[in-house]
């Protein structure tokens, strides 16, 4: 019997990353009872993929940082990350937020788990695949651990820089630019990188394809746990609306509907295609699925919905509580399927 190849995928969603972070913290609370030493999320997956906030979480987990600490990092610092949002006129010309505090916060946390040094992608304790968009080349890209002989491009990059690149959501943060010194002492540019959510807000399909093509696994040997960040169906029922300009899509009620729409639609599309591979057309293979797959997400009502840059700790805590409800409902099954 072939060993199962286990994948963890984490969606993007800004501060809504508290949902998967808290869900994983609840899982690690159960894992702490184990006697075999496999008490961290990283101990149970061959590949972790994450986009934007999910990319930050994925990279943190791959360094052995407890999910509880990641959750607390978000909760305790949301006001400093997102609390100084520019006003309307400022946002016409500039991104809503400065990155300095977030970058230092993430960098310091990563260094804390790597003897005070900046870990690089090669230092991740679990293989990672982190999508970004490269404005220099004008194409999507996936930063990868060297889990294939051909994957030599990314292993030098400091992990915190990858975290900043995948979370550089347009209009929220500027594209990420930095330089780093590679392992042979040469300085390399890492410029104008943008949020991976532009093309892979739900990166589950990336994990699946990497497993098949880079690791040479058969689809029947995959076990995938995919975590969302909550979703609200994007609808507009006003058939008489005739004002569909920038005010509606990017300004009205302080909502960036255009970004909401393409991130949510991409995530839903991937979920639909994974479901097709998992259980066939119209779930005709439901009794004999093609691999193990669990998708953890929550449909949000209007009161639950928060923006990606919400900074109110109470609203963020309330949002995280949705993860606790999901865990209490289905967590035992998820642990049985992926943490045996």
């Amino acid at each position: 019997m072939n060993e199962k190849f286990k994948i963890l995928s984490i969606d993007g969603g800004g501060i809504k990353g508290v949902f998967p972070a808290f869900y994983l913290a609840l899982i690690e609370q159960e894992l702490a009872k184990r006697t075999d030493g496999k008490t961290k999320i990283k101990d149970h997956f061959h590949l972790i993929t994450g986009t934007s906030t999910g990319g930050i979480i994925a990279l943190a987990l791959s360094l052995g940082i407890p999910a509880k600490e990641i959750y607390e990092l978000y909760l305790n610092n949301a006001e400093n990350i997102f609390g100084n949002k520019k006003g309307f006129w400022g946002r016409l010309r500039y991104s809503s937020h400065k990155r300095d505090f977030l970058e230092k916060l993430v960098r310091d946390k990563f260094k804390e788990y790597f003897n005070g040094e900046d870990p690089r992608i090669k230092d991740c304790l679990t293989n990672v695949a982190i999508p970004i968009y490269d404005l220099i080349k004008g194409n999507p890209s996936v930063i990868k651990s060297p889990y294939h002989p051909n994957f030599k491009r990314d292993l030098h990059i400091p992990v915190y820089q990858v975290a900043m690149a995948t979370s550089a959501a347009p209009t929220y943060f500027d594209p990420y630019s930095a330089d780093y010194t590679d392992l042979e002492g040469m300085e390399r540019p890492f410029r104008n990188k943008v949020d991976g959510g532009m093309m892979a807000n739900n990166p589950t399909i990336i994990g699946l394809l990497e497993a098949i093509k880079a690791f040479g696994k058969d689809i029947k040997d995959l076990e995938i746990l995919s975590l969302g960040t909550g979703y609200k169906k994007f609808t507009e029922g006003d058939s008489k609306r005739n004002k569909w300009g920038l005010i509606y899509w990017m300004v009205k009620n302080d909502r960036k509907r255009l970004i909401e729409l393409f991130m949510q639609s991409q995530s839903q599309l991937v979920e639909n295609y994974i479901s097709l591979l998992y259980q066939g057309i119209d779930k005709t293979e439901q009794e004999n699925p093609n691999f193990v797959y669990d998708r953890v997400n929550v449909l949000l009502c209007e009161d639950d919905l928060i923006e990606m840059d919400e900074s109110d700790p109470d609203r963020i805590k309330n949002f995280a509580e949705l993860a606790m409800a999901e865990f209490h409902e289905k967590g035992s099954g998820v642990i049985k399927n992926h943490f045996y």
Side-chain angles (χ1 to χ4, degrees):
M1 181 177 177
N2 292 336
E3 180 188 7
K4 295 296 184 180
F5 187 86
K6 303 171 71 174
I7 302 165
L8 173 62
S9 173
I10 310 172
D11 284 16
I15 199 62
K16 293 187 289 183
V18 295
F19 179 89
F22 193 49
Y23 193 92
L24 292 168
L26 292 170
I27 288 176
E28 283 191 331
Q29 193 173 51
E30 295 300 312
L31 296 180
K33 302 171 185 176
R34 297 174 67 119
T35 57
D36 61 0
K38 296 173 69 174
T39 58
K40 293 186 176 181
I41 299 296
K42 72 170 181 61
D43 301 325
H44 296 268
F45 294 96
H46 299 99
L47 176 65
I48 304 179
T49 182
T51 298
S52 192
T53 192
I56 294 176
I57 297 169
L59 291 165
L61 293 171
S62 78
L63 294 172
I65 299 173
K68 180 175 180 285
E69 290 189 22
I70 305 168
Y71 165 68
E72 291 172 345
L73 201 72
Y74 279 110
L75 185 64
N76 297 336
N77 294 282
E79 287 185 288
N80 287 318
I81 297 170
F82 295 123
N84 296 311
K85 187 174 184 178
K86 291 183 178 69
F88 172 75
W89 296 109
R91 282 181 280 142
L92 285 179
R93 296 187 64 186
Y94 303 101
S95 299
S96 297
H97 307 283
K98 291 186 176 180
R99 181 187 292 108
D100 301 13
F101 184 87
L102 175 63
E103 183 170 6
K104 185 178 188 308
L105 184 73
V106 170
R107 186 179 189 180
D108 287 349
K109 176 56 70 172
F110 289 0
K111 288 168 70 174
E112 181 184 331
Y113 279 80
F114 201 69
N115 299 317
E117 302 292 328
D118 286 318
R120 300 172 187 256
I121 286 297
K122 73 174 184 64
D123 299 313
C124 292
L125 302 175
T126 305
N127 294 308
V128 294
I130 310 296
I132 63 171
Y133 191 89
D134 190 331
L135 289 180
I136 297 293
K137 295 181 179 178
N139 61 255
S141 180
V142 180
I143 305 295
K144 304 174 186 180
S145 302
Y147 49 76
H148 186 278
N150 292 351
F151 295 170
K152 300 175 182 178
R153 180 193 65 183
D154 305 327
L155 57 90
H156 307 259
I157 307 174
V159 177
Y160 82 91
Q161 292 188 5
V162 178
M164 292 302 98
T166 192
S167 59
T171 76
Y172 291 92
F173 293 108
D174 292 347
Y176 184 70
S177 292
D179 298 300
Y180 64 92
T181 304
D182 70 18
L183 297 171
E184 281 79 44
M186 179 179 289
E187 187 172 285
R188 297 193 185 191
F190 188 63
R191 300 299 181 92
N192 284 15
K193 312 306 181 192
V194 172
D195 196 319
M198 299 302 100
M199 78 293 183
N201 201 54
N202 176 348
T204 308
I205 198 76
I206 291 174
L208 183 145
L209 291 173
E210 290 295 315
I212 292 172
K213 302 306 294 184
F215 289 92
K217 301 299 179 179
D218 194 291
I219 195 168
K220 71 178 187 301
D221 294 323
L222 303 185
E223 288 184 0
I224 302 173
L225 174 59
S226 176
L227 303 181
T229 55
Y231 69 100
K232 184 178 184 296
K233 292 183 179 179
F234 192 100
T235 59
E236 177 54 79
D238 186 356
S239 60
K240 296 181 180 180
R241 172 180 290 281
N242 59 11
K243 296 179 180 178
W244 294 92
L246 282 175
I247 289 177
Y248 171 77
W249 286 110
M250 294 297 290
V251 177
K252 185 177 173 63
N253 303 125
D254 205 27
R255 281 180 60 188
K256 297 177 179 178
R257 290 175 178 80
L258 187 61
I259 294 176
E260 287 179 32
L261 178 60
F262 69 66
M263 284 190 168
Q264 188 57 55
S265 61
Q266 190 281 335
S267 186
Q268 289 172 322
L269 180 65
V270 168
E271 194 168 344
N272 291 345
Y273 276 129
I274 293 291
S275 179
L276 180 67
L277 292 169
Y278 173 51
Q279 295 183 330
I281 295 173
D282 294 330
K283 298 187 177 180
T284 51
E285 301 165 35
Q286 190 170 11
E287 298 302 316
N288 187 28
N290 294 299
F291 52 92
V292 176
Y293 171 64
D294 283 289
R295 173 70 170 168
V296 178
N297 209 359
V298 60
L299 177 61
L300 304 171
C301 65
E302 199 65 38
D303 290 341
D304 295 326
L305 186 64
I306 60 174
E307 296 297 317
M308 293 201 301
D309 57 353
E310 177 62 62
S311 60
D312 185 320
D314 289 330
R315 295 203 70 199
I316 296 169
K317 278 184 182 179
N318 291 344
F319 190 84
E321 191 171 340
L322 298 171
M324 187 165 63
E326 285 294 308
F327 180 78
H328 287 160
E329 184 177 345
K330 299 176 182 176
S332 59
V334 167
I335 289 175
K336 180 180 178 181
N337 284 343
H338 304 279
F339 299 90
Y340 47 83

